[in-house]
């Protein structure tokens, strides 16, 4: 049971119940009118116990948006929506900071037909566009946009703002010698490259006053050869402290970096050394560690080793909105673990689609897929197939008070997740299957494994109020000459019964499964 996680904390004037923060994630539902879905998403995480929620970035201008589905803090029509979000979180007894965002050269020209703005006209491999170097007028306008956004966030009821200065976005671009090639007062040597981000902080501070918490998200490591050095990051940390930041949130890596930062192949906690370096330079200023921290046990270790004062988890709140509440109640075995697969969250976000979660399909659809109150039901429901979809269907029906019978043709539950758990680095998939097994047991779901439902076993389903088919994925059998030969196997066979001789093998198909099997 984590202990340091549950100590109260403070960011500027903001008292926080404990040390676990929900980090910013762009959800792709920010543009929906009214904001009901967005409010429901955040309120559920507040009820789930996050001490502070940091929203996905709200763009300070159209040209600074990272895609079609951003909210725009400075546009009058967006006010009611953002106020609804802050209100919903407060009603759930939560605290919420709005992240102020400008993508700079990571904006997509195709989104609104606006050429992205950046310190210099350095093409971006991420957005595939070449930005326009900002004029003195653009710089003055952008400073004013950040200040106006912060003032408005305060008026709309947010408890704090965060300035997005990492992951290669605009403020980070000004700091880096790779993207700031200016020779005027806003670029050149390190001191001049710090001027724009520090000016943003100063303008924001002046706009909101001394008592409103301002968090700065700085880059702990750009992971770009030739970019800002560790020594410069430490010096910049000192400047942010002197400039009036109330806390530093440590982001890692640019979107153009060749170094992966968040997939399952990255060891959990790998980046906390960057937070520790910043904490050393930050003195008494609170530091928030983030990036690839997936459990509260790991968060506890980060605090124990004094690598940070707060720990931010993002995707784990998609996988389980109640991760904090369950852990505080001593039920951490009931937490649905984030697998760092990125398939339904980051991959969709980068494609400008609404995000969800592979292990929690309600994520982002809290209004559409409402949780039902448990009720005594008369009948029973059959779920056919105990892969991830069938397991979640059985769990949700069990929570809603149904008697559920889950049929699985294989001798064990898990489906594709059971196969995935055999891939090097993907053992967490087995933890997810174990989570479902515990949940189904708790809910009294009857599991009939090794029982295929075929035409001649339909009597098993007789009397069911409903039958949920979740029979899922089957390997394709392409029409290839020789496919019937005995040494040709499906990926399912290859994973469940690996060949003993270790001889040479040919894999046809280099999608995710082909690569996993090769691994
Ligand atoms: Fe985690 Fe995968 Fe869900 Fe994203 S989709 S939150 S990486 S489990």
């Amino acid at each position: 049971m984590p202990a340091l996680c549950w100590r109260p904390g403070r960011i500027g004037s903001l008292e926080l119940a404990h040390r676990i923060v929900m980090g910013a994630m762009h959800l792709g539902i920010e543009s929906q009118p009214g904001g009901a879905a967005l409010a429901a998403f955040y309120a559920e995480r507040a009820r789930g116990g996050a001490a502070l929620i940091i929203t996905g970035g709200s763009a300070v201008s159209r040209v600074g948006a990272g895609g079609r589905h951003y909210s725009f803090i400075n546009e009058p029509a967006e006010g009611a929506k953002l106020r609804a979000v802050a209100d919903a979180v407060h009603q759930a007894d939560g605290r919420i900071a709005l992240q102020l965002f400008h993508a700079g050269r990571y904006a997509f020209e195709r989104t609104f037909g606006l050429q992205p703005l950046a310190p210099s006209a350095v093409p971006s491999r991420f957005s595939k566009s070449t930005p326009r170097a900002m004029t003195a007028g653009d710089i003055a306008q952008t400073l004013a946009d950040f200040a106006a956004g912060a003032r408005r966030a305060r008026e709309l009821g947010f408890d704090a703002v965060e300035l997005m200065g990492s992951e290669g976005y605009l403020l980070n671009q000004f700091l880096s010698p790779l993207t700031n090639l200016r020779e005027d007062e806003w670029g050149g040597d390190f001191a001049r490259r710090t001027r724009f981000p520090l000016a943003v902080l100063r303008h924001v501070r002046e706009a909101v006053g001394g008592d409103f918490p301002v968090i700065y998200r700085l880059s702990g490591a750009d992971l770009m050869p030739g970019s800002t050095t560790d020594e410069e990051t430490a010096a910049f940390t000192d400047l942010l402290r002197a400039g009036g930041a109330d806390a530093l949130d440590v982001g890692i890596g640019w979107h153009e970096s060749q170094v992966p930062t968040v997939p399952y192949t990255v060891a959990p906690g790998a980046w906390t050394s960057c937070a520790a370096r910043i904490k050393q330079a930050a003195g008494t200023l609170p530091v928030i560690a983030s990036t690839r921290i997936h459990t509260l046990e790991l968060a506890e270790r980060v605090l124990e080793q004094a690598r940070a004062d707060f720990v931010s988890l993002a995707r784990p709140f998609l996988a389980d909105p109640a991760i904090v509440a369950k852990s505080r109640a001593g039920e951490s075995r009931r937490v649905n673990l984030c697998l760092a697969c990125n398939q339904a969250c980051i991959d969709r976000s980068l494609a400008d689609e609404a995000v969800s979660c592979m292990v929690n399909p309600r994520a982002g659809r809290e209004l559409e897929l409402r949780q039902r109150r448990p009720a005594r039901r008369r009948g029973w429901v059959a779920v056919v197939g105990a892969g991830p979809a069938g397991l979640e269907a059985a769990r949700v029906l069990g929570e809603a008070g149904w008697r559920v019978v889950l049929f699985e043709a294989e001798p064990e539950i898990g489906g594709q997740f059971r196969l995935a758990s055999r891939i090097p680095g993907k053992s967490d998939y087995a933890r997810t299957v174990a989570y479902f097994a515990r949940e189904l047991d708790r809910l009294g779901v009857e599991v009939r494994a090794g029982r295929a439902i075929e035409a001649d076993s339909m009597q098993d389903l007789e009397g069911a109020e409903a039958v949920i088919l979740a029979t899922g994925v089957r390997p394709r059998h392409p029409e290839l000459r020789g496919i019937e030969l005995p040494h040709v196997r499906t990926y399912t066979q290859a994973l469940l019964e690996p060949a003993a001789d270790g001889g040479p093998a040919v894999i046809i198909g280099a999608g995710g499964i082909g690569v996993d099997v090769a691994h």
Side-chain angles (χ1 to χ4, degrees):
M1 170 77 179
L4 298 176
C5 286
W6 310 137
R7 284 175 310 156
R10 172 189 275 269
I11 290 178
S13 59
L14 185 62
E15 307 266 4
L16 296 175
H18 57 81
R19 304 302 178 105
I20 303 301
V21 172
M22 176 177 147
M25 286 177 284
H26 178 62
L27 303 173
I29 55 174
E30 287 83 353
S31 60
Q32 289 180 12
L38 196 59
F41 175 87
Y42 285 124
E44 185 153 321
R45 272 79 194 163
R47 278 194 297 278
L52 174 68
I53 289 171
I54 303 175
T55 66
S58 186
V60 297
S61 60
R62 286 267 152 178
V63 74
R68 277 178 304 152
H69 299 300
Y70 273 67
S71 69
F72 294 95
I73 179 65
N74 288 321
E75 296 190 7
E78 301 271 281
K81 171 169 70 184
L82 293 170
R83 188 187 290 281
V85 168
D87 287 350
V89 168
H90 291 153
Q91 277 161 22
D93 204 22
R95 301 286 175 270
I96 183 162
L98 185 86
Q99 189 186 75
L100 298 173
F101 179 91
H102 195 303
R105 62 194 274 280
Y106 278 174
F108 298 87
E109 186 157 359
R110 63 173 184 267
T111 308
F112 297 114
L114 300 169
Q115 186 180 13
L117 297 179
S120 305
V122 178
S124 153
R125 275 189 294 134
F126 174 66
S127 62
K128 311 267 188 304
S129 47
T130 301
R132 177 166 69 72
M134 290 166 78
T135 63
D138 294 324
I139 288 176
Q141 182 60 55
T142 307
L143 293 174
D145 289 342
F146 269 99
R151 193 179 305 113
R152 194 158 161 71
R154 181 172 196 168
E155 286 163 8
L156 292 173
F158 286 89
D159 300 294
V161 287
E162 175 172 277
L163 309 183
M164 176 34 125
S166 66
E167 271 87 5
Y169 293 115
L170 181 69
L171 276 56
N172 207 175
Q173 291 160 25
F174 266 93
L175 197 63
S176 171
L178 295 179
T179 44
N180 185 345
L181 311 179
R182 302 175 75 100
E183 290 177 352
D184 61 3
E185 61 188 302
W186 301 105
D189 60 13
F190 171 69
R192 293 208 298 270
R193 282 185 273 120
T194 66
R195 273 191 193 152
F196 180 76
L198 291 173
V200 170
L201 176 60
R202 192 173 64 250
H203 279 69
V204 163
R205 177 54 76 204
E206 283 165 11
V208 294
D211 62 337
F212 189 72
V214 178
I215 304 167
Y216 191 98
R217 183 167 170 97
L218 82 164
S219 179
D222 293 348
L223 306 179
M224 297 283 288
S227 197
T228 311
T229 64
D230 288 347
E231 293 70 33
E232 288 172 337
T233 300
F236 185 53
T237 299
D238 205 37
L239 293 170
L240 291 170
R241 188 177 49 74
D246 289 305
L248 301 177
D249 185 7
V250 182
I252 303 290
W254 286 23
H255 290 309
E256 288 161 296
S257 169
Q258 299 289 318
V259 183
T261 55
V262 291
Y264 71 91
T265 47
V266 175
W271 306 113
T272 56
S273 55
C274 298
R277 266 202 307 274
I278 287 174
K279 184 162 165 53
Q280 275 195 342
T284 55
L285 194 61
V287 169
I288 306 171
S290 79
T291 312
R292 194 62 177 114
I293 300 173
H294 70 323
T295 63
L296 294 184
E297 288 71 25
L298 176 55
E300 180 73 8
R301 283 206 297 281
V302 171
L303 296 173
E304 224 167 57
Q305 294 164 2
R307 293 181 163 219
D309 304 282
F310 292 85
V311 180
S312 162
L313 290 76
R315 294 170 298 168
F317 278 96
L318 281 179
D320 195 333
I323 176 173
V324 167
K326 287 178 185 172
S327 302
R328 287 192 95 176
E331 295 187 317
S332 51
R333 280 166 63 80
R334 288 199 52 220
V335 169
N336 196 2
L337 185 73
C338 165
L339 296 167
C341 66
N342 294 344
Q343 287 186 38
C345 53
I346 295 176
D347 288 357
R348 286 200 192 164
S349 175
L350 294 177
D352 218 2
E353 294 170 4
V355 312
S356 188
C357 174
M358 285 284 283
V359 297
N360 174 23
R362 281 192 78 240
R365 301 183 194 143
E366 286 72 16
L367 287 184
E368 201 184 318
L369 305 175
R370 287 181 191 273
Q371 273 170 333
R372 310 231 184 265
R373 284 225 190 89
R376 281 178 69 85
R377 315 270 182 181
R378 262 177 276 138
W380 65 282
V381 176
V383 177
V384 183
L391 290 168
E392 176 65 356
R395 189 193 68 80
V396 170
L397 288 163
E399 287 280 12
W402 287 98
R403 190 164 80 74
V404 183
V405 181
L406 175 61
F407 295 92
E408 168 56 45
E410 297 295 324
E412 290 173 54
I413 63 169
Q416 297 291 302
F417 274 25
R418 191 163 65 95
L419 297 178
S421 69
R422 295 178 170 243
I423 308 297
K426 287 193 168 177
S427 57
D428 275 353
Y429 283 71
R431 290 177 68 181
T432 298
V433 176
Y435 151 82
F436 276 112
R438 285 192 296 273
E439 284 294 281
L440 298 190
D441 189 45
R442 179 178 70 81
L443 295 165
V445 171
E446 183 187 340
V447 178
R448 293 191 199 161
R451 183 69 182 152
I453 298 295
E454 310 278 5
D456 60 2
S457 57
M458 293 295 277
Q459 70 277 7
D460 284 358
L461 307 179
E462 264 171 33
E465 290 285 316
V467 178
I468 313 282
L469 292 181
T471 47
V473 180
R474 284 181 204 283
R476 266 182 297 146
H477 284 268
E479 286 183 22
L480 292 174
R481 195 153 53 85
I483 196 158
E484 69 292 342
L485 291 169
H487 64 285
V488 180
R489 315 167 84 201
T490 64
Y491 71 85
T492 309
Q493 291 165 324
L495 290 174
L496 292 178
E497 306 144 29
D501 62 8
V506 171
I507 298 169
I508 300 179
I513 290 176
V515 170
D516 269 357
V517 171
H519 198 177

